[in-house]
Amino acid sequence: MTTDDLDRAQAGPDDPRLVRGDSGPDLVLSRSFAVDIDGVWATLTDPARTTEWYGPWEGKGAAGHTIRVQMRFEDGEPWLPMRVDACERPTRLALSMLEDQGDWRLELVLAETAGSTRLSLIHHLSGVDSLGEIGPGWEYYLDLFAAAVRGTAVQAAAGSRTAPAFADYYPARSAFFTALAESYTRRFTPLP
């Protein structure tokens, strides 16, 4: 059993994990839904539904193409280019985005068992230095996603539905992710 296997065995099924990936650390966050895989996939990819938890997007949503995505829950709601690296309906979506902070490579993997669907968001990181800021942000977006799947996400016009507040995630969850990064560094940095 590897260190990553031990960490998985000790963590709960939806606890964030930091594991060694093919090209560096991978942050893995998961959520489970009592919804079939097609319903979860639609919330993940349909531009009318992504508006509820991330933002709308436009362009050709196919592997090898670049789409424009509005970061609806970020200051200024900017539109950013995002490359679709893989789109394997209904089980896998891989995206990459180049930002000022660096290259963001993301993978969303879905698996269905008996009418329940598990979504794993995998952020392929280049390092763990900013995990205290990155991790809480992904938890926030995944909880917005969960609200959208349940049909309780914010609606632009009515405002009658509730959504998570970012202030509940950052800085409140920052220490957890910083400790996760420190643990990863201790486990995988060779001794001099």
Side-chain angles (χ1 to χ4, degrees):
M1 185 178 277
T2 68
T3 304
D4 288 345
D5 293 331
L6 286 171
D7 287 345
R8 276 190 279 276
Q10 294 170 355
D14 290 340
D15 289 344
R17 296 178 286 118
L18 193 57
V19 300
R20 189 169 16 191
D22 292 338
S23 60
D26 284 348
L27 176 61
V28 182
L29 300 107
S30 300
R31 298 290 187 276
S32 295
F33 307 98
V35 175
D36 67 41
I37 197 168
D38 291 322
V40 176
W41 180 262
T43 305
L44 182 64
T45 60
D46 181 337
R49 295 184 68 184
T50 60
T51 298
E52 295 179 19
W53 67 273
Y54 199 80
W57 61 271
E58 55 189 34
K60 185 173 182 179
H65 292 271
T66 299
I67 59 175
R68 283 181 9 107
V69 179
Q70 184 179 28
M71 307 286 292
R72 186 167 165 249
F73 297 91
E74 300 293 327
D75 290 338
E77 300 186 11
W79 284 85
L80 301 171
M82 194 175 283
R83 180 173 171 76
V84 180
D85 299 318
C87 185
E88 301 162 10
R89 180 187 171 92
T91 58
R92 181 172 172 258
L93 179 64
L95 305 161
S96 56
M97 178 173 52
L98 186 60
E99 277 198 337
D100 295 338
Q101 299 93 343
D103 184 21
W104 290 62
R105 295 177 304 116
L106 308 170
E107 196 169 352
L108 298 120
V109 179
L110 286 75
E112 183 178 29
T113 306
S116 180
T117 304
R118 183 166 182 76
L119 168 70
S120 294
L121 181 147
I122 305 159
H123 185 160
H124 302 289
L125 300 162
S126 57
V128 296
D129 293 340
S130 299
L131 198 61
E133 291 81 35
I134 293 170
W138 284 129
E139 283 191 315
Y140 169 67
Y141 277 108
L142 279 176
D143 287 348
L144 283 170
F145 181 82
V149 169
R150 288 189 312 267
T152 59
V154 172
Q155 291 183 338
S160 61
R161 296 184 181 182
T162 60
F166 185 66
D168 293 337
Y169 297 82
Y170 184 84
R173 294 281 291 158
S174 185
F176 170 85
F177 284 98
T178 299
L180 198 61
E182 290 167 355
S183 173
Y184 179 89
T185 302
R186 280 192 307 274
R187 288 183 317 198
F188 298 115
T189 301
L191 297 172

